[in-house]
Amino acid sequence: MSANTPHLTTPPPSLEAADPTATALLTIDLDALCANYRALGGLASGAECAAVIKANAYGTGSERAAPALAQAGCKTFFVATFDEAVNVRKLAPGVTVYVLDGCFPGSAEAFAREAIRPVLNSVSEIRSWTSFCSETGKTHPAGLHVDTGMNRLGLTPGEAEDAFSPGGAAQGFKPALLISHLACADEPDHPKNRKQLTLFQKVRKHVSGCPASLANSGGIHLGPDYHFDLVRAGFSLYGGQAVEGRPPLSPVVQLHARIAQIHEAKAGESIGYGAAQTLKRQTRIATISLGYADGIFRNLSASDTQTGMTGYISGLPAPVLGRVSMDLITLDVTDIPESLARHGGWVEIIGPNVSIDKLAAQAGTIGYEVLTNLGNRAQRVYLGAKGSND
Ligand SMILES: *Cc1c(COP(=O)(O)O)cnc(C)c1O
């Protein structure tokens, strides 16, 4: 689809059902989320597909995402923090939950009490976990992270080899899952992918007899060599483009903002903070109720020398004028019929015309950052799964 072919698709039903007081609407399609889960499972060549639902399910809301994914057959979930895990445990009873950030000193008991599995990241974490297990006389399952090239979390391959050698710190400890994380999975041809794969295969020999997991969303697309026993899908589940040059799965998220005011200004007048942009013509301006406090980054602003983001009204482009402020954005609607650009009407910010990844590219960041910043203030409306929530 070329950039200037508007998608004149019908707006999501959530807009028509929106609360008249709603200023912005984040529409989350749970059926698309579940379809993406099944599609990723299909790509994983027989490996189990786990869902990564850290950061409130990448901003989509774990309250609804976790039960929907569990319903779609997901049995294993990854989160970053203990609190997130407790939440998932309540939302999807019976699933396995791993905490990627590991287990801080003194926290083992809390993990065991909640039946949450830490992913242990160091020899000292293994020590405290195994001594907790022997104190309680029970084997509490935990994962293990080996760092094959991120230099972020996990034992080095050398440490893992030593720890699992006879007399090593991990003797007698059998991880429930061995994981590592790819640094460049979004670039299929990056030589680092193969390097990490080779290292992971080597480490696996020392930690034999436990299931293994290497692939995130990007890694799933790298092919069967990378799938092992379990894949960890995050961004792709939520409709993001995980791999350069490869189309994303179904979009899950749409963001619309309400027009709070329409007014006209003359050529030569400036607009917004810093008077950063001067109008070149008599301009009709739509001020919409959304801003950087809603995750629409300030560097999506326009100025006299730079174009910024574009909103869409019934598929017609409305370019930003001047700076994005905390709660408001001004758009040029001069070329859009007055019947369409009207007070209380909706503007597409993320949707058929603007993907998460496109908006991210305009903001000089990645779709992950856009997604996880949305919805601080927008009303969330869910479509699909158990029906819409209005
Ligand atoms: C966040 C994360 C994932 C998911 O990555 P995506 O690129 O979103 O699929 C998988 N594994 C680990 C260790 C992570 O931190």
Side-chain angles (χ1 to χ4, degrees):
M1 180 69 55
S2 98
N4 36 22
T5 313
H7 289 252
L8 294 162
T9 49
T10 45
S14 50
L15 287 190
E16 266 127 66
D19 191 324
T21 60
T23 51
L25 212 62
L26 190 63
T27 307
I28 294 141
D29 186 341
L30 294 171
D31 285 344
L33 177 72
C34 293
N36 291 347
Y37 175 77
R38 285 186 284 267
L40 289 163
L43 286 171
S45 48
E48 181 188 346
C49 188
V52 182
I53 57 165
K54 58 197 181 189
N56 200 17
Y58 287 49
T60 64
S62 37
E63 300 291 321
R64 297 296 297 270
L69 288 164
Q71 194 91 49
C74 184
K75 292 186 169 51
T76 305
F77 291 79
F78 287 83
V79 292
T81 70
F82 181 78
D83 289 352
E84 290 177 336
V86 171
N87 191 32
V88 172
R89 181 58 49 268
K90 287 194 199 112
L91 295 164
V95 301
T96 298
V97 189
Y98 283 100
V99 170
L100 291 164
D101 285 1
C103 185
F104 297 116
S107 68
E109 197 189 335
F111 276 89
R113 189 175 58 234
E114 301 285 345
I116 290 163
R117 301 181 179 187
V119 178
L120 306 175
N121 289 312
S122 67
V123 170
S124 78
E125 282 183 59
I126 296 175
R127 281 214 180 90
S128 31
W129 190 258
T130 49
S131 62
F132 171 75
C133 290
S134 43
E135 278 161 30
T136 55
K138 266 182 84 181
T139 320
H140 302 283
L144 180 71
H145 195 155
V146 173
D147 192 326
T148 53
M150 274 291 275
N151 269 313
R152 195 175 68 164
L153 273 180
L155 283 74
T156 65
E159 283 174 331
E161 191 180 334
D162 289 350
F164 286 90
S165 301
Q171 219 187 358
F173 169 58
K174 194 171 161 231
L177 182 70
L178 175 70
I179 80 161
S180 190
H181 192 46
L182 295 164
C184 305
D186 56 330
E187 298 173 59
D189 298 329
H190 200 293
K192 185 133 191 141
N193 292 322
R194 276 269 145 208
K195 272 192 199 152
Q196 287 195 261
L197 175 62
T198 306
L199 257 180
F200 189 60
Q201 285 163 333
K202 210 173 138 217
V203 169
R204 216 184 148 207
K205 295 205 180 93
H206 300 291
V207 192
S208 55
C210 81
S213 172
L214 177 62
N216 63 338
S217 297
I220 294 171
H221 296 281
L222 292 174
D225 286 355
Y226 289 81
H227 296 160
F228 295 90
D229 303 295
L230 178 145
V231 298
R232 308 185 304 272
F235 193 47
S236 274
L237 273 180
Y238 307 101
Q241 184 183 20
V243 180
E244 271 176 20
R246 207 174 165 128
L249 300 173
S250 304
V252 170
V253 170
Q254 296 193 48
L255 179 67
H256 292 80
R258 192 94 84 165
I259 298 176
Q261 185 184 314
I262 299 271
H263 74 284
E264 300 246 349
K266 292 191 190 67
E269 286 189 56
S270 72
I271 182 159
Y273 281 123
Q277 188 164 12
T278 302
L279 301 174
K280 290 201 177 67
R281 58 173 176 173
Q282 173 79 16
T283 305
R284 201 146 44 83
I285 299 159
T287 304
I288 62 169
S289 51
L290 197 72
Y292 59 75
D294 302 285
I296 303 304
F297 300 124
R298 195 167 168 274
N299 62 357
L300 289 160
S301 300
S303 69
D304 286 330
T305 53
Q306 231 178 330
T307 54
M309 63 185 285
T310 304
Y312 286 82
I313 298 173
S314 303
L316 303 171
V320 65
L321 293 166
R323 288 196 186 149
V324 170
S325 46
M326 188 188 293
D327 322 299
L328 297 167
I329 295 172
T330 38
L331 302 176
D332 186 345
V333 295
T334 315
D335 300 327
I336 298 179
E338 284 180 39
S339 59
L340 296 176
R342 56 175 204 285
H343 181 225
W346 291 101
V347 180
E348 172 197 329
I349 302 299
I350 294 169
N353 293 283
V354 190
S355 68
I356 295 159
D357 296 288
K358 183 175 169 183
L359 191 69
Q362 288 174 335
T365 182
I366 55 172
Y368 293 72
E369 195 182 13
V370 167
L371 197 52
T372 53
N373 276 282
L374 298 174
N376 292 330
R377 185 160 51 181
Q379 266 189 18
R380 279 207 183 84
V381 177
Y382 292 91
L383 304 176
K386 286 184 214 140
S388 73
N389 67 344
D390 9 83

